[in-house]
Amino acid sequence: MPYVSRRLSPAALALAAGLGLGGAAQAQGFDIETGLEAISNPTTLIEGLHRLYVGRRITPHVSVGGSVYSAALGDAGGAFFWGFEGVARVPLSERFGLSFAGFIGGGGGASQVVGDGLMLRAAASLDYRLTAAWDLQASASWIRIDGAPIDGPAYGLGLRYRIGGGGTPGGGVPEFDAIGAVVTQMVSPGGTLNRSAGAQADVSIAGARVFFDLGPNTQFTFGSAGAARGAQGYMEITGGLRQRVSVGRLSFFAEGSAGFAGGGLVDTGAGLILRGSLGVAVPVTRTLDVELAAVATGAVSGEYRSAGLSLGLTHHLNRQGPGGAGQRWAYTGGIEIQRTGAGYFVVPGNTAAYTAMQYSSFDYFVGQRLYVTGTAATAVGGGVAGFAVGMFGLGYEIPIGERWHLSLEGQLGAAGGGGVNTAGGLVAGLRAEVDYRVGQNWRLSAGLGQLRAVSSGGFSPLTLTLGVKIPFVTHR
């Protein structure tokens, strides 16, 4: 049987934008770590990074999972790096302990990384237990980014939050409530400038969101989005709170969020943005809502300001009705190879025949074989540092033997950065994937497909994926 989890942490499902984590081991719980690191003697506009790590404990003191690093100090909003990380803890006393972490991933952005974009980080931290669930961390790390003059120490402060397995009791964990897709049209007021001192264009962004119940009318939200038009290469990751008021069948909501964003010449300064929205949700089926909202966004230290409208589709897991069968998922993490060719690069100076991406994806089954899928990938090789892809769509899984499965997928999303010609950012893809079940709870997965810019004149690479897939089940 696949791993069964009663509840999931907020950031665990945030990996549907690029960070994924399923469970194949016994229920040891999750660790969530966040913090700010300042780079010693910075030589680029990336002067410090924000870190968000979500790991599943495979032993009481070892966790593995995914991380996102975002530019947070300096003037390099839009520099993102994400990948896979592991953390080992060594208790020293009742209150104190040491932690050791290793990260491998990729990314770039803000014109600060030119090359492959591979990022490596080794870190040690002194931990002090504040409560049964919270630790304060003082860290020292060594960060190396291929394609940028970043190869040295960094120092920071952070927090760790433990869920389950000696952390918070089960009742203290927010319940995973809903998933959704959203598109937003953002318009900047006259006089707003981009990083090239030109007029800021209107931006269309598309992304995915997850929701967690904190109370009868309060939700925690987490989402990721990228530009589909107007700012090729723009990306954002945000989290916040939503308060709801029901009036008949309608649900009115107010939401406030913060996160990190940039790229596509959008001037977000160091990267921190704030967002507020007011909207209404209208049920169209028992489990699906259509949402319309007015949205305002502003960069804390940059020029960017905008207002606009968003249209979303949200699937509620808490409306499944009785039965307790649970929701089927699958997480996949691995490497994607894209074959370059005519039209792949904006400037044909890059002669690489292939680019390498690390990717994470989530599949959520809405039927016995039909599933909704979301994928995020970022460059680790091929001289396209900062190139990132985020997509969502539908898939269909077909058993072809006791251990074999064939999946067919179609996806739509946003991509850009790294000098790759995505013709504005809106991309579509088709893929066939074959899985071989190795253990009770995991599979080896290989896929062949094609990615294509929707607008004419853009790239259209063939893709090959190799990864590990972990099916799991959640219950409310």
Side-chain angles (χ1 to χ4, degrees):
M1 293 289 292
Y3 170 72
V4 177
S5 172
R6 291 287 174 183
R7 302 167 186 263
L8 289 177
S9 66
L13 266 295
L15 302 182
L19 303 172
L21 187 61
Q26 294 180 351
Q28 297 285 351
F30 287 94
D31 287 340
I32 303 174
E33 298 182 10
T34 184
L36 188 66
E37 286 192 325
I39 296 174
S40 180
N41 300 317
T43 55
T44 72
L45 295 180
I46 304 174
E47 298 180 5
L49 296 171
H50 173 262
R51 171 178 178 258
L52 174 64
Y53 166 72
V54 183
R56 178 157 194 83
R57 292 195 293 277
I58 57 175
T59 76
H61 302 298
V62 176
S63 63
V64 294
S67 289
V68 172
Y69 291 83
S70 313
L73 297 174
D75 189 23
F80 289 93
F81 307 86
W82 70 83
F84 309 103
E85 188 158 0
V87 177
R89 296 186 293 118
V90 180
L92 299 179
S93 68
E94 183 179 350
R95 290 279 185 178
F96 286 94
L98 294 175
S99 292
F100 302 92
F103 168 85
I104 180 170
S111 300
Q112 299 303 295
V113 184
V114 180
D116 290 339
L118 178 67
M119 174 177 162
L120 304 174
R121 176 182 179 268
S125 68
L126 177 65
D127 305 337
Y128 177 75
R129 177 164 292 189
L130 298 172
T131 70
W134 290 93
D135 290 346
L136 178 66
Q137 300 178 299
S139 65
S141 64
W142 192 278
I143 298 174
R144 179 177 182 179
I145 299 177
D146 191 356
I150 299 176
D151 188 3
Y155 306 95
L157 293 174
L159 291 170
R160 172 189 291 128
Y161 179 59
R162 291 183 299 277
I163 296 177
T168 58
V173 182
E175 291 188 339
F176 179 44
D177 179 53
I179 58 175
V182 61
V183 293
T184 306
Q185 176 69 17
M186 305 298 294
V187 179
S188 293
T192 304
L193 302 180
N194 62 22
R195 285 191 178 271
S196 296
Q200 174 61 56
D202 298 344
V203 181
S204 301
I205 59 175
R209 301 179 296 182
V210 290
F211 299 84
F212 298 83
D213 279 342
L214 299 179
N217 296 301
T218 305
Q219 292 175 306
F220 176 83
T221 68
F222 199 103
S224 178
R229 187 180 65 85
Q232 179 177 313
Y234 174 81
M235 175 182 170
E236 62 182 39
I237 296 176
T238 57
L241 293 176
R242 172 180 287 194
Q243 190 70 29
R244 304 190 312 271
V245 176
S246 296
V247 180
R249 297 180 68 246
L250 303 181
S251 178
F252 296 89
F253 60 85
E255 185 174 324
S257 59
F260 295 91
L265 296 180
V266 177
D267 185 5
T268 56
L272 181 63
I273 63 168
L274 301 177
R275 173 169 294 155
S277 64
L278 295 172
V280 59
V282 181
V284 292
T285 71
R286 187 173 57 131
T287 61
L288 288 177
D289 284 357
V290 171
E291 297 183 356
L292 181 66
V295 182
T297 303
V300 172
S301 61
E303 281 277 331
Y304 186 59
R305 304 288 187 274
S306 66
L309 293 174
S310 70
L311 180 66
L313 185 66
T314 302
H315 175 69
H316 291 265
L317 280 70
N318 61 357
R319 301 178 189 170
Q320 298 289 337
Q327 296 86 37
R328 291 173 54 213
W329 298 79
Y331 163 72
T332 307
I335 295 293
E336 176 179 289
I337 304 298
Q338 296 184 4
R339 183 178 180 180
T340 66
Y344 188 92
F345 299 107
V346 176
V347 178
N350 189 333
T351 58
Y354 301 92
T355 61
M357 316 279 287
Q358 65 83 22
Y359 79 96
S360 295
S361 69
F362 269 111
D363 303 332
Y364 171 71
F365 284 81
V366 294
Q368 184 66 27
R369 298 182 180 180
L370 183 68
Y371 58 89
V372 177
T373 182
T375 301
T378 189
V380 295
V384 292
F387 177 48
V389 181
M391 306 182 72
F392 53 89
L394 293 174
Y396 193 80
E397 183 181 76
I398 305 170
I400 53 176
E402 184 179 352
R403 291 182 176 267
W404 295 89
H405 290 79
L406 171 67
S407 298
L408 303 175
E409 295 180 357
Q411 292 185 307
L412 186 70
V420 177
N421 181 19
T422 59
L426 187 62
V427 297
L430 295 172
R431 180 169 64 185
E433 193 172 75
V434 175
D435 301 337
Y436 176 74
R437 182 170 60 82
V438 178
Q440 187 66 21
N441 299 303
W442 65 284
R443 309 174 184 174
L444 292 177
S445 182
L448 184 65
Q450 184 169 31
L451 192 62
R452 179 182 291 274
V454 173
S455 297
S456 61
F459 77 157
S460 58
L462 295 175
T463 63
L464 173 67
T465 57
L466 298 171
V468 174
K469 180 176 288 187
I470 303 172
F472 62 102
V473 174
T474 62
H475 290 278
R476 279 186 55 85

